[in-house]
């Protein structure tokens, strides 16, 4: 079976984006003011990035009042409520019949930063269904990169109470460029390898969407079973020339920001950062100077702290015992 891109959907998404600027929901400065820095790392042969995100200066993790019917900050009922009059939604039904909607985040990290949200307010649950839905979205919008935070606090999570993906147009995250390291399994349909990266990353590459989803689900189940209620994954999905690439970044809730770096980064470390593109909040001139002067070591230390094990050791991946 072949899956065709849905030009109507991607046109509608672009329309939503243009309209957001026309109506003042987004301003160019939200994106232009974000300072993005490149850090080349010879060992991994990758350009990591970090940005000081001024857009997120207004970010509130726990909004004070919810409009009628809404149970969280990303529920559908938020659109049109006081303070969110300009928030526009795009409804979408995926191939499995699940209902979702797209909206633009008011705190964009990059241009065309959408959130794909389940219509029903239900908890984040990183599992086969979620993997399959991310891949189904990619079929409709193959030029997008689909990212997912996790379902456990302090393990790469954002809003836990409501299932969602973060979706970016053509975003190329550092983790997507790192080379393969250990082959865990390979056949004609699928290649499952680890990546040469600072965190444990399992890469699944294949043309068969169902197979990719089922193998990913097995790995996620194994990892979660090893450390119940502590282990989970962040996901990065992309599609090119009919081939899916799904990256599972292993996360563990006990591996979090070290105390002495909390002054640079106190919020949880999400999928985009685990993927190699760090986001720091605006800070005093002194603190920013210190951050810029030591960015390489700070990012290295933060990544090591959230990494559940050393990914350079093949045996460590045995916890995913199917392989
Ligand atoms: Zn909700």
């Amino acid at each position: 079976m072949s899956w065709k891109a849905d030009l109507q959907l991607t046109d509608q998404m672009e329309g939503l984006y243009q309209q957001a600027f026309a109506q003042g929901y987004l301003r160019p400065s939200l994106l232009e003011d974000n300072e993005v820095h490149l850090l080349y790392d010879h060992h991994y042969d990758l350009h990591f990035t970090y940005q000081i995100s001024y857009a997120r200066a207004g970010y509130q993790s726990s909004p004070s009042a919810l409009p009628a019917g809404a149970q969280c900050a990303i529920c559908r009922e938020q659109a049109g409520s006081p303070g969110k009059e300009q928030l526009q939604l795009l409804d979408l039904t995926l191939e499995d019949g699940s209902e979702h909607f797209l909206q633009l985040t008011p705190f964009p990290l990059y241009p065309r930063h959408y959130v794909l949200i389940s219509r029903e307010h239900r908890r984040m649950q990183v599992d086969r269904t979620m993997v399959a839905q991310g891949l189904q979205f990619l079929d409709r919008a193959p030029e997008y990169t689909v990212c997912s935070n996790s379902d456990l606090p302090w393990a790469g999570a954002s809003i836990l109470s409501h299932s969602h993906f973060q979706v970016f147009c053509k975003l190329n995250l550092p983790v997507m460029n790192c080379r393969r390291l250990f082959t865990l399994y390979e056949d004609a349909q699928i290649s499952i390898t680890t990546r040469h990266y600072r965190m444990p990353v399992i890469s699944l590459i294949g043309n068969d969407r169902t197979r990719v989803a089922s193998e990913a689900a097995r790995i996620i189940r194994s990892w979660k079973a090893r450390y119940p209620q502590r282990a989970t994954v962040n996901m990065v999905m992309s599609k090119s020339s009919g081939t899916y690439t799904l990256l599972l970044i292993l996360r563990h809730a006990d591996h979090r920001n070290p105390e002495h770096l909390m002054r640079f980064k106190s919020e949880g470390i999400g999928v985009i950062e685990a993927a190699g593109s760090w986001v720091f909040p605006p800070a005093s001139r002194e603190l920013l100077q210190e951050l810029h002067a030591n960015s390489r070591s700070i990012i290295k230390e933060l990544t090591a702290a959230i990494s559940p094990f050393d990914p350079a050791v093949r045996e460590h991946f045995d916890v995913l015992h199917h392989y």
Side-chain angles (χ1 to χ4, degrees):
M1 200 179 293
S2 74
W3 310 97
K4 289 220 167 60
D6 179 348
L7 291 180
Q8 195 188 344
L9 173 66
T10 48
D11 283 353
Q12 284 173 335
M13 288 175 74
E14 184 61 22
L16 198 70
Y17 188 65
Q18 300 304 340
Q19 188 186 18
F21 284 97
Q23 294 186 337
Y25 174 74
L26 293 180
R27 299 182 315 279
S29 63
L30 278 173
L31 292 155
E32 291 172 352
D33 290 351
N34 287 352
E35 294 167 31
V36 183
H37 304 262
L38 274 181
L39 284 177
Y40 178 69
D41 185 306
H42 173 70
H43 180 67
Y44 294 101
D45 195 18
L46 282 186
H47 284 94
F48 290 87
T49 71
Y50 73 97
Q51 65 172 277
I52 312 299
S53 175
Y54 291 95
R56 289 176 68 84
Y59 180 75
Q60 278 186 307
S61 53
S62 47
S64 42
L66 291 171
Q71 296 179 64
C72 77
I74 57 170
C75 267
R76 209 171 182 285
E77 292 79 4
Q78 293 277 0
S81 68
K84 294 198 176 172
E85 292 86 353
Q86 311 282 28
L87 174 59
Q88 301 288 328
L89 310 177
L90 186 57
D91 288 318
L92 174 72
T93 303
L94 291 174
E95 203 183 298
D96 65 358
S98 59
E99 292 185 293
H100 304 259
F101 60 94
L102 282 154
Q103 67 182 40
L104 284 151
T105 170
F107 314 110
L109 295 175
Y110 297 98
R112 298 177 177 79
H113 180 174
Y114 299 82
V115 193
L116 173 63
I117 304 169
S118 74
R119 190 177 175 107
E120 177 197 1
H121 173 87
R122 60 177 158 80
R123 220 182 126 64
M124 281 287 285
Q125 173 96 26
V126 182
D127 58 9
R128 186 188 169 125
T129 302
M130 191 165 183
V131 174
Q133 289 175 353
L135 297 175
Q136 286 166 31
F137 178 79
L138 268 183
D139 281 333
R140 305 270 296 275
E143 59 188 357
Y144 282 78
T145 304
V146 176
C147 300
S148 155
N149 274 309
S150 83
D151 46 11
L152 285 174
W154 291 100
S158 48
I159 294 169
L160 287 161
S161 62
H162 197 145
S163 184
H164 65 285
F165 292 95
Q166 297 192 53
V167 176
F168 303 86
C169 190
K170 296 178 181 162
L171 181 64
N172 185 19
L173 291 160
V175 72
M176 298 165 79
N177 305 315
C178 53
R179 67 174 167 84
R180 301 177 190 199
L181 190 57
F182 306 120
T183 298
L184 301 180
Y185 178 83
E186 203 153 30
D187 64 25
Q189 281 184 326
I190 196 162
S191 161
I192 306 177
T193 68
T194 74
R195 295 285 185 113
H196 183 48
Y197 191 63
R198 282 184 185 149
M199 294 184 70
V201 174
I202 317 286
S203 146
L204 299 97
I205 299 179
N207 296 322
D208 181 331
R209 193 180 75 188
T210 309
R211 183 81 197 282
V212 170
S214 62
E215 294 296 338
R218 271 153 49 103
I219 294 169
I220 294 167
R221 271 200 310 273
S222 293
W223 176 236
K224 285 186 166 185
R226 180 70 184 81
Y227 303 102
Q229 295 306 309
R230 310 309 290 157
T232 184
V233 301
N234 287 150
M235 301 192 285
V236 177
M237 308 180 191
S238 56
K239 187 179 179 185
S240 174
S241 308
T243 300
Y244 304 93
T245 299
L246 165 56
L247 302 176
L248 303 176
I249 307 174
L250 305 190
R251 302 293 305 259
H252 189 295
D254 293 345
H255 295 257
R256 54 176 81 173
N257 319 30
E259 197 57 43
H260 69 283
L261 295 179
M262 291 292 258
R263 61 205 174 97
F264 298 108
K265 180 82 183 165
S266 60
E267 59 180 9
I269 294 169
V271 55
I272 304 302
E273 293 154 326
S277 286
W278 287 80
V279 182
F280 294 97
S284 69
R285 198 158 61 92
E286 292 74 21
L287 197 63
L288 286 181
Q289 269 173 358
E290 198 183 334
L291 173 67
H292 290 311
N294 301 288
S295 53
R296 196 174 289 276
S297 61
I298 290 169
I299 287 170
K300 209 174 245 184
E301 208 177 330
L302 282 170
T303 316
I306 61 165
S307 179
F309 56 77
D310 180 357
V313 180
R314 166 69 180 83
E315 288 70 32
H316 286 167
F317 289 92
D318 290 345
V319 296
L320 310 169
H321 53 80
H322 290 300
Y323 302 97

